[in-house]
Amino acid sequence: MIPLNNDEMLLLRGKEGTLGIVKVGEKNQFFLETEKEEILLALEPDDLLVASGFGADKTTINGLKCVLYMIREVGSPFIVLPKKHPASKRLKIVVSAGDRTRISCSIIPGTHPEQDILCGSDEFDGIEISGVQGGVEFSDLRGGRIERIPFEI
């Protein structure tokens, strides 16, 4: 287990992609907006918000932090695009929420309302990330470098 508190963010840095991970914390209700409905996500404080960025540079890391901050601290909703939406090809960061997230490189970014699967770079394909009391557990982690940084803007 890798320790993580509500004031920190984990980064899993690869060569082509980066994952940003924060605890849900005390503000544990989020809205998921699809083309047809609005779904309330009621999560536990140790559940995770996981953002996947398609890059490994400073701009991507700042973007991950900003997106996670907008969702957790500001209360911005999750937006699910319809399949074949033209914006799917331009998404640079996608996000999931819940107690467990699987990373897949074979789905279309931004089109999956299931919050347990998230598009990621090839190097992270198959990784499973779970929120546990006081931290985060990874399974099938084969590479990348993990860093813990302050979660502040």
Side-chain angles (χ1 to χ4, degrees), residues 54 81 84-92 108-111:
F54 303 97
L81 298 173
K84 298 184 180 178
H85 192 283
S88 295
K89 293 180 248 173
R90 291 188 288 279
L91 291 175
K92 304 294 185 204
I108 299 171
T111 63

Side-chain angles (χ1 to χ4, degrees), residues 57-70:
D57 58 0
K58 185 176 180 178
T59 300
T60 299
I61 292 168
N62 287 341
L64 291 168
K65 189 183 285 188
C66 182
V67 166
L68 291 170
Y69 192 89
M70 287 292 295

Side-chain angles (χ1 to χ4, degrees), residues 14-19 52-57 60-61 64 92 121 123:
K15 293 178 183 167
E16 299 172 4
T18 307
L19 300 176
S52 176
F54 303 97
D57 58 0
T60 299
I61 292 168
L64 291 168
K92 304 294 185 204
S121 62
E123 62 198 317

Side-chain angles (χ1 to χ4, degrees), residues 12-26:
L12 176 57
R13 300 179 74 163
K15 293 178 183 167
E16 299 172 4
T18 307
L19 300 176
I21 303 159
V22 296
K23 290 281 190 182
V24 163
E26 298 305 317

